[in-house]
Amino acid sequence: AQSVAQPEDQVNVAEGNPLTVKCTYSVSGNPYLFWYVQYPNRGLQFLLKYITGDNLVKGSYGFEAEFNKSQTSFHLKKPSALVSDSALYFCAVRGPSGYSTLTFGKGTMLLVS
Amino acid sequence: DAMVIQNPRYQVTQFGKPVTLSCSQTLNHNVMYWYQQKSSQAPKLLFHYYDKDFNNEADTPDNFQSRRPNTSFCFLDIRSPGLGDAAMYLCATSRDGGALDTQYFGPGTRLTVL
């Protein structure tokens, strides 16, 4: 079965500094990986996904993520954090077979001050 | 703009009193999902519809039911809400449910059980 680990419950970053939110995954075969962001009392907003191709994926709001197959990681990054980036971030993985469900990590709270 | 809409945004019900949450979409997507999300936890998939085909997760309690009368609408029925059912309920849609698909979420309905 597929799984996702987000090892940090919370990440604190100063505004203007680069940020990284970590995610590792476990899945049979090639993974399909997603990042979502959730603001308080709101639904999840899609940020970006990795399907195949370039290991660096660019997404919404200046976020990007780096896929590393050997380390089974898909860390979310942004070169310069904004206070408005403060939110709950979820990494998710979908298995390689068509028509499979999405498995979410437990989430990482990002606080930018 | 194409979107996923959930009504109401906030719902208060009494212990044991049936409640229905609504989701509609203008994306014309084939698949609709219902998730339960408890405070600061990962969303947990309850069930999903691929078109009219209903797919229940193995650990979804019988207390939770769903209806999809047409492509645009999907309902979550909680037959006898308990205190443990208080949560945010998220509806999501995707085009075809394939591995390359992206799920798009509505804003959620926060359910309070008194």
Side-chain angles (χ1 to χ4, degrees):
Chain A
Q2 62 236 39
S3 65
V4 174
Q6 293 181 244
E8 302 153 318
D9 290 337
Q10 184 170 307
V11 171
N12 296 298
V13 177
E15 188 174 32
N17 282 2
L19 70 87
T20 299
V21 182
K22 296 180 180 177
C23 171
T24 59
Y25 66 89
S26 173
V27 66
S28 300
N30 293 321
Y32 300 95
L33 296 157
F34 301 77
W35 275 103
Y36 286 84
V37 60
Q38 186 176 34
Y39 295 97
N41 290 314
R42 302 296 301 274
L44 276 67
Q45 294 180 31
F46 169 71
L47 280 178
L48 50 80
K49 67 181 178 183
Y50 172 82
I51 302 300
T52 187
D54 285 344
N55 290 340
L56 187 64
V57 180
K58 293 190 182 297
S60 305
Y61 313 119
F63 283 93
E64 57 191 25
E66 186 170 11
F67 172 68
N68 188 316
K69 188 172 184 178
S70 62
Q71 296 185 5
T72 63
S73 68
F74 188 56
H75 300 332
L76 182 70
K77 300 183 179 185
K78 188 174 182 180
S80 180
L82 300 172
V83 172
S84 58
D85 293 330
S86 299
L88 187 59
Y89 289 80
F90 289 99
C91 180
V93 64
R94 169 168 278 159
S97 59
Y99 198 48
S100 63
T101 55
L102 209 55
T103 300
F104 285 90
K106 64 178 175 60
T108 298
M109 178 64 71
L110 173 66
L111 293 177
V112 183
S113 57
Chain B
D1 288 339
M3 57 174 53
V4 182
I5 302 161
Q6 290 188 246
N7 287 305
R9 293 292 314 280
Y10 299 90
Q11 176 74 57
V12 180
T13 191
Q14 292 181 339
F15 183 94
K17 184 175 181 180
V19 65
T20 295
L21 309 182
S22 169
C23 177
S24 64
Q25 53 124 345
T26 61
L27 297 160
N28 203 32
H29 283 172
N30 283 326
V31 192
M32 295 187 77
Y33 309 79
W34 278 105
Y35 289 86
Q36 180 192 62
Q37 185 183 24
K38 296 193 175 180
S39 181
S40 297
Q41 294 183 20
K44 178 181 178 299
L45 183 64
L46 295 173
F47 26 60
H48 66 281
Y49 274 93
Y50 182 86
D51 196 8
K52 295 181 180 180
D53 293 333
F54 178 69
N55 298 271
N56 199 31
E57 293 300 297
D59 57 354
T60 297
D62 293 339
N63 197 28
F64 291 86
Q65 304 286 320
S66 186
R67 296 170 283 134
R68 190 179 184 186
N70 55 52
T71 300
S72 300
F73 283 86
C74 195
F75 299 98
L76 170 62
D77 300 309
I78 308 177
R79 294 192 296 185
S80 181
L83 297 178
D85 296 328
M88 175 77 90
Y89 289 88
L90 299 168
C91 175
T93 74
S94 69
R95 187 182 304 275
D96 57 19
L100 306 183
D101 216 6
T102 298
Q103 292 185 22
Y104 296 95
F105 285 79
T109 295
R110 181 164 295 284
L111 178 68
T112 299
V113 181
L114 300 178

